[in-house]
Amino acid sequence: MPEVRPGTSESGSPRSGALRTGGAETGLLDQFGRVATDMRLSLTDKCNLRCQYCMPEAGLDWLKKDKLLTAAEIVRLVGIGVERLGVRELRLTGGEPLVRADLVEIIAALRQNHPSLPISLTTNGVGLAKKAQALADAGLSRLNVSMDTLHHDAFLQLTRRPFLDQVLAGIEAASAAGLAPIKINAVLLRGINDGHAAELLQWSLDRGYELRFIEQMPLDADHGWTREGMITAAEIRTLLSGTFELAPDPRSRDGAPAERFEVRHRGSDALLGTVGIIASVTEPFCADCRRTRITAEGKVMSCLFSRTEVDLLALLRAGASTEDDDAVASRWQDAMWAKPRAHGMGHPGLGDADFVQPDRSMSAIGG
Ligand code: SAM
Ligand code: SF4
């Protein structure tokens, strides 16, 4: 049963003059009672890879520079999120965030304003070797590196670029810079790298990295995803079970998208580490979702699969007074209030028939 939002009428429309920026208590509340505290901010739509499950081979029409959030706008928006709307953690993503020349300065400014905010980065690792130490020095808390295989030929086929060695060097540099714990994100595609799952897990365990498999979602610009073609979480567990025994991690999931498993070699009691599986399609976790997403051009997406977007950039550019910040916060709240109950795939009572793939690809949303 949807709730009546504080500061709104029962229809959900804003009561005139109502103070709706209630900080952490009301924050980014939606009509189903969820409160978003985890902000995902895309720094750019550009990328130097062309992963099959995300970007088309020819790339996309990149946004013009004046359409992107500037560093100052990013810092202001995060400030509004943290100080007025109860945001408690920030993930910087893209596109590929490392292609943004001012990334280190952005992180340093965010860290200066928010000394204890967890700030993490999701990157494909290309060019990371050169920047890892500067990112750590600027105050980055931790890092996820996306790497789907350790095989050069499969990496080339998946990403359409020959940069696996750069990614491996980037991960090593991040580790040397103390950006722990490092998480590795992997998407499996049938016939390309599904046979590499156990090897990638062993490699991650040997180095103390936490590997997370992400089910392929229908967010590719080519619209090539099919339910029959995707590798499900159940199949991933089976692929690993030839080598490993997985047992549910007794620690609380606490709203995290990944379901964590303890990993042991078959027939051994020795705990080797953990692996995460993010089953967004077949075992969705929408009821527990705490995420709010801002695209590189300053639009709120209340869900990865949103088909509606709410622009904050024009309001940010309209002025920088306290009242302007109030207006930005209020519009952000409105956008989140309308967050759908679920994305429409795999939910009991909500068949795939309700699901329509959004126009944006994952790279243009910010994963
Ligand atoms: N370029 C950076 C990277 O690849 O890590 C950050 C942006 S990328 C969109 C964020 C994450 O989304 C990556 O881990 C990537 O593997 C994942 N991703 C992209 N498209 C996906 C899809 N269709 N299904 C599942 N995960 C996807
Ligand atoms: Fe680029 Fe990341 Fe998308 Fe791959 S998943 S094309 S690295 S944005």
Side-chain angles (χ1 to χ4, degrees):
M1 174 78 173
E3 293 188 1
V4 176
R5 174 170 158 199
T8 63
S9 68
E10 279 199 33
S11 68
S13 57
R15 272 190 234 125
S16 76
L19 180 67
R20 291 178 295 148
T21 50
E25 308 94 274
T26 52
L28 294 169
L29 173 71
D30 71 41
Q31 60 190 312
F32 301 102
R34 296 166 297 188
V35 179
T37 53
D38 174 358
M39 176 174 177
R40 308 266 164 134
L41 176 62
S42 174
L43 298 181
T44 176
D45 57 329
K46 279 199 191 131
C47 189
N48 41 19
L49 299 185
R50 297 286 182 275
C51 303
Q52 284 192 27
Y53 45 75
C54 182
M55 282 247 186
E57 186 152 20
L60 294 163
D61 289 334
W62 311 127
L63 290 165
K64 300 253 173 341
K65 198 162 178 219
D66 66 335
K67 297 269 191 296
L68 286 177
L69 288 166
T70 64
E73 286 161 351
I74 287 168
V75 172
R76 183 171 158 210
L77 205 48
V78 173
I80 293 171
V82 171
E83 282 146 24
R84 294 161 184 253
L85 297 172
V87 165
R88 285 198 227 114
E89 57 185 297
L90 174 68
R91 174 168 297 279
L92 303 173
T93 180
E96 175 43 49
L98 289 181
V99 305
R100 224 179 130 134
D102 53 0
L103 176 63
V104 170
E105 290 76 36
I106 290 171
I107 292 173
L110 291 170
R111 177 54 70 222
Q112 191 176 6
N113 289 359
H114 311 286
S116 56
L117 180 71
I119 304 176
S120 53
L121 181 78
T122 302
T123 170
N124 63 27
V126 176
L128 178 60
K130 279 195 228 114
K131 294 190 182 154
Q133 190 61 56
L135 292 170
D137 294 345
L140 184 68
S141 313
R142 50 182 175 265
L143 193 83
N144 286 26
V145 183
S146 305
M147 187 182 68
D148 305 320
T149 176
L150 294 162
H151 293 258
H152 287 88
D153 49 351
F155 186 92
L156 177 62
Q157 200 181 346
L158 275 161
T159 67
R160 302 176 176 121
R161 296 289 184 271
F163 296 152
L164 175 59
D165 289 335
Q166 276 206 47
V167 178
L168 290 167
I171 295 171
E172 230 173 84
S175 184
L179 285 166
I182 292 180
K183 293 186 181 171
I184 307 291
N185 289 356
V187 177
L188 297 179
L189 295 194
R190 201 175 296 288
I192 302 182
N193 63 337
D194 48 340
H196 307 166
E199 177 193 45
L200 194 55
L201 177 53
Q202 186 65 59
W203 179 90
S204 305
L205 293 167
D206 289 344
R207 288 158 182 78
Y209 306 146
E210 186 176 323
L211 176 63
R212 296 132 38 95
F213 291 102
I214 310 175
E215 277 185 344
Q216 186 198 359
M217 295 179 272
L219 289 171
D220 55 316
D222 286 335
H223 288 231
W225 178 94
T226 62
R227 185 175 272 279
E228 305 70 48
M230 68 164 286
I231 301 205
T232 63
E235 205 176 337
I236 295 168
R237 292 191 286 268
T238 306
L239 285 168
L240 298 175
S241 68
T243 314
F244 301 103
E245 260 169 23
L246 305 186
D249 187 330
R251 286 174 295 173
S252 151
R253 189 162 165 180
D254 196 26
E259 186 178 5
R260 259 194 325 252
F261 297 89
E262 292 183 340
V263 185
R264 294 176 176 79
H265 277 138
R266 294 202 74 78
S268 158
D269 286 339
L271 180 61
L272 303 171
T274 59
V275 65
I277 301 183
I278 303 182
S280 321
V281 177
T282 61
E283 297 158 29
F285 35 86
C286 303
D288 221 9
C289 182
R290 298 178 193 173
R291 277 163 286 286
T292 181
R293 294 173 192 277
I294 309 281
T295 67
E297 74 264 53
K299 295 194 168 138
V300 184
M301 290 187 73
S302 61
C303 168
L304 260 183
F305 297 93
S306 288
R307 295 180 57 76
T308 48
E309 301 169 2
V310 175
D311 180 43
L312 299 183
L313 188 63
L315 276 182
L316 282 170
R317 291 187 178 171
S321 68
T322 308
E323 289 73 32
D324 293 312
D325 282 359
D326 282 344
V328 171
S330 183
R331 187 174 289 178
W332 192 345
Q333 285 187 306
D334 286 345
M336 292 306 296
W337 180 253
K339 181 177 170 99
R341 178 162 74 90
H343 57 48
M345 284 179 299
H347 294 269
L350 282 174
D352 281 0
D354 292 325
F355 177 76
V356 183
Q357 178 164 348
D359 298 330
R360 281 179 184 269
S361 65
M362 189 70 151
S363 62
I365 301 167

